Amino acid sequence: MTKKLLPYLFCCLLFPTFLFSQRDAGGRFEEGFFWGFKAGVTSSTVLDLRTTLIAPIYPVETYQTQDNTRLGGMGAFFIDYRHSSKSYVVGRFEIGYTMQGGKFNYTDVNGLEYELAMNYDYLTLAPLIKINVPPGMPYVIMGCQIGVNLTGETLRYTSNDDAFIDLQVQESLRTVLKGRANTALTAGIGVELTRSGFYLEGRYTHGLTDVVETQANSFLFIENKNTSNYYQLTLGIPVPFQ
């Protein structure tokens, strides 16, 4: 339900702010290079963990699972370039830090409950295209993104069992499930708040590659394609090169 509501939340936040965006009467934009910073919040999920973690020998009616989101933060430095004051297209390159990953919750008929949290942090590199639509309206941004996993073994296991046993299981899982790079497509909409010098942007990033590598193990885990998708809502400020 939360994932379904996030796109509508982005739209609700963006709608009242675009009323304040401005361009000059001739529809001209500032040309040249700009740099800036952005920061905000993220909501991410690792998909299809059940197939990886639960062997098919266990009847599906004996357990329940759920892929849940990880809430985090992000920050990035970007460079924009517009070659002409009449161009609606801006080239952008971003380099940033993003908290991603997800949570996996399990319960079964024997009373076992546990949560597996994959708290991955990434160094992200993103070449993008930003398209400014007519003056006073939101812009569109799209492109690709490569995320280098900085915390591939940052995995937390908690259950309703003994805390000492949880620590042992957690250490074993960290040697079996390794976080990997995330190659993705990304797209979003934003509004330039020219009166304040800031912009507000909502973006969705769709993972294309497996972000969890499964090593040889005695847990009956299997290698499976677990992609990671996430939403981000950011506030940023561009600065012209002098």
Side-chain angles (χ1 to χ4, degrees):
M1 180 63 69
T2 301
K3 291 185 287 184
K4 293 180 180 179
L5 291 177
L6 279 170
Y8 299 102
L9 177 60
F10 290 153
C11 293
C12 291
L13 289 170
L14 290 172
F15 177 75
T17 57
F18 87 82
L19 298 175
F20 297 101
S21 62
Q22 295 180 330
R23 293 286 185 273
D24 63 28
R28 300 177 67 86
F29 299 91
E30 293 186 77
E31 62 183 44
F33 284 96
F34 291 78
W35 64 273
F37 298 96
K38 55 181 285 189
V41 295
T42 61
S43 175
S44 61
T45 308
V46 178
L47 303 177
D48 202 22
L49 285 170
R50 183 176 72 173
T51 302
T52 301
L53 303 178
I54 311 298
I57 61 173
Y58 300 108
V60 294
E61 62 271 12
T62 63
Y63 65 87
Q64 292 183 333
T65 66
Q66 186 172 3
D67 294 327
N68 289 323
T69 59
R70 179 197 183 192
L71 298 178
M74 67 84 60
F77 169 81
F78 63 85
I79 296 178
D80 285 352
Y81 176 69
R82 189 193 307 274
H83 76 278
S84 168
S85 63
K86 286 293 187 180
S87 175
Y88 282 80
V89 179
V90 176
R92 169 173 292 188
F93 180 77
E94 290 182 358
I95 179 169
Y97 165 82
T98 307
M99 299 171 68
Q100 299 177 36
K103 299 177 182 179
F104 177 78
N105 291 89
Y106 171 94
T107 60
D108 65 24
V109 294
N110 297 317
L112 175 63
E113 299 179 8
Y114 72 78
E115 179 179 86
L116 190 62
M118 297 177 172
N119 298 325
Y120 296 148
D121 299 336
Y122 287 86
L123 172 69
T124 56
L125 307 171
L128 304 163
I129 295 292
K130 177 183 171 186
I131 302 174
N132 287 87
V133 290
M137 297 295 289
Y139 63 79
V140 177
I141 191 165
M142 65 188 72
C144 59
Q145 177 176 288
I146 298 175
V148 180
N149 197 317
L150 304 175
T151 56
E153 295 185 4
T154 306
L155 182 152
R156 188 185 76 250
Y157 174 88
T158 54
S159 78
N160 60 349
D161 206 337
D162 183 81
F164 179 72
I165 295 177
D166 283 358
L167 288 176
Q168 291 180 312
V169 174
Q170 178 175 276
E171 290 304 309
S172 298
L173 292 175
R174 287 179 174 179
T175 65
V176 173
L177 302 172
K178 305 285 189 178
R180 306 174 66 179
N182 186 15
T183 302
L185 298 177
T186 186
I189 58 174
V191 176
E192 296 178 359
L193 311 175
T194 55
R195 289 182 181 178
S196 62
F198 291 89
Y199 71 83
L200 183 67
E201 183 180 290
R203 195 182 297 180
Y204 170 71
T205 301
H206 183 78
L208 301 176
T209 56
D210 183 10
V211 298
V212 181
E213 180 180 1
T214 307
Q215 306 286 337
N217 64 91
S218 60
F219 292 100
L220 301 181
F221 296 165
I222 65 170
E223 180 61 29
N224 179 46
K225 186 175 181 179
N226 303 112
T227 58
S228 179
N229 305 331
Y230 73 97
Y231 296 91
Q232 63 176 260
L233 183 64
T234 59
L235 188 68
I237 182 169
V239 181
F241 281 96
Q242 301 297 330

